[in-house]
Amino acid sequence: MRHPPGPPTGDAVADDPGFAHGDCQDTALGTLLRLAGVAHPEDLLLGDLAFEVEVDRGVADGLSPAYRTGGPLPPATGPTGTGIGLAEHRAVDLPGLHRHLRDRTRGGRAVAVTVDQYGYEPAPFHGRAHVPHHLVVTAAGGDGVEVLDAFPRSRFSGRVAPDRFARWADSPHLGAARYRTVELAVAPGAADAVAGWLAATWRDQVRRNVAAMLDPAGRHGVAAIGLVADRLAEWLAGPGFRADPGRRRELPVSSFTDVGALRRGHALWLSRVAALGHPALAECADRLRAVSRQWDVAASLWLAGGPAPVTDPAAADLVARGLHQVPKLVRLIAAAERRVVEQLDATVRPG
């Protein structure tokens, strides 16, 4: 297994096109964008992010907080925007997937593929949980599949044998994402239009984020972060947890563990806008990076109490103490998010 070097710097697209920001969908699409000549995929991928939670579900149902519930690319990126869009395909079976990858990657194309982390050895949840994951295939043939995965927790690059790739992609747990591929449709000159599109749209994107994050309804934004803290505290104080403190039900790993990475991605987007001539956003970006690290701590404390039983009493007590800190930390995060969002609001107000 070989690992690609770090992401490129400056405006040039380096030999390594891996984009290592946001969640795994962002890293896959960002890598496709770099391969298409877009030096800053964050211009398109990470501008619209708002926290959301399903308010009618509790922890015992698999409470699923997440950022950004819209599509992977903003709707304005089509012909009236940058000219960059997505083309999705789903094969009927594994041989069909191989044929499609072989045909589409012929001539230098690249394709994003959905795999199951349970069978994907580089993934953090290999052998532990069935979680969809996105990576890029740059070539495919009878002797194997050339893979590029820029997601930091599973960073991997190299050729893998067909049977190994089958263990990754041929999983019934993927549901509708099984045998799914995505590639970019890029109009002539589109790569050069991205920076201009960002410069023309960033204020509207910030306003949308502010409105969503300050929505008082409880499902979106800061209020939803507070709701997550309340639900976690209620569950930890309830009889289900006290009766079996050695076995925890963790939040869905595919969402809770990614919120810090997504917040760092949005901070990168703000830094990019700041560099285009709006320096007041640089401080917001720095504060949002600090928030992202708090999310990482909360996720680590929660996942430490995962679904496996803790048989040692001292270890179980330590894990329980850590879990009880999570609601408090999430409330602090909600307050920090509110301060950043209010600062963002001030940057886009006239005068």
Side-chain angles (χ1 to χ4, degrees), residues 30-341:
T31 298
L32 293 183
L33 285 164
R34 278 196 171 150
L35 287 167
V38 178
H40 291 279
E42 66 271 20
D43 293 2
L44 298 174
L45 294 173
L46 295 161
D48 282 314
L49 289 174
F51 193 89
E52 180 165 308
V53 66
E54 297 180 50
V55 297
D56 58 343
R57 301 182 71 181
V59 176
D61 303 312
L63 186 66
S64 182
Y67 280 110
R68 192 183 52 204
T69 56
L73 287 177
T77 54
T80 58
T82 62
I84 297 175
L86 297 180
E88 185 174 310
H89 178 268
R90 188 182 180 198
V92 296
D93 53 22
L94 184 64
L97 175 63
H98 277 290
R99 287 193 298 272
H100 183 73
L101 291 174
R102 181 194 62 213
D103 294 343
R104 299 309 295 168
T105 58
R106 187 177 293 147
R109 286 180 177 267
V111 179
V113 181
T114 305
V115 301
D116 186 348
Q117 289 198 33
Y118 191 89
Y120 179 50
E121 300 90 345
F125 306 109
H126 172 244
R128 295 173 50 202
H130 292 284
V131 179
H133 181 68
H134 307 277
L135 47 79
V136 171
V137 170
T138 56
D143 59 340
V145 179
E146 194 73 29
V147 171
L148 174 58
D149 179 4
F151 190 59
R153 293 191 182 120
S154 56
R155 198 166 174 85
F156 171 81
S157 174
R159 180 170 287 271
V160 299
D163 59 342
R164 185 184 180 195
F165 183 76
R167 291 197 300 272
W168 303 352
D170 193 14
S171 170
H173 296 277
L174 291 172
R178 193 179 188 185
Y179 314 133
R180 184 180 65 187
T181 59
V182 173
E183 59 185 292
L184 293 180
V186 183
D192 296 330
V194 172
W197 179 85
L198 175 64
T201 62
W202 75 267
R203 287 184 184 274
D204 288 339
Q205 293 188 74
V206 169
R207 289 190 182 103
R208 284 197 297 271
N209 276 288
V210 167
M213 289 301 291
L214 298 182
D215 181 354
R219 179 175 178 176
H220 300 285
V222 175
I225 298 174
L227 177 62
V228 169
D230 293 342
R231 293 280 175 81
L232 295 182
E234 290 170 8
W235 183 73
L236 289 167
F241 176 81
R242 291 198 304 270
D244 189 8
R247 181 178 290 274
R248 331 282 184 224
R249 182 179 179 89
E250 58 188 307
L251 295 181
V253 292
S254 60
S255 58
F256 193 54
T257 56
D258 282 346
V259 292
L262 282 165
R263 264 324 191 207
R264 280 188 292 280
H266 193 52
L268 177 69
W269 181 86
L270 290 172
S271 295
R272 170 73 170 146
V273 177
L276 292 177
H278 307 281
L281 293 175
E283 183 180 348
C284 296
D286 289 340
R287 294 177 67 179
L288 206 52
R289 288 189 186 94
V291 171
S292 77
R293 291 190 288 272
Q294 291 179 297
W295 274 120
D296 290 342
V297 173
S300 296
L301 288 170
W302 188 255
L303 292 174
V310 181
T311 55
D312 180 81
D317 179 68
L318 183 62
V319 167
R321 288 175 182 270
L323 288 173
H324 278 90
Q325 295 305 309
V326 175
K328 302 173 187 177
L329 179 54
V330 172
R331 291 189 183 100
L332 291 175
I333 290 172
E337 290 261 9
R338 179 177 293 278
R339 289 192 293 270
V340 175
V341 173

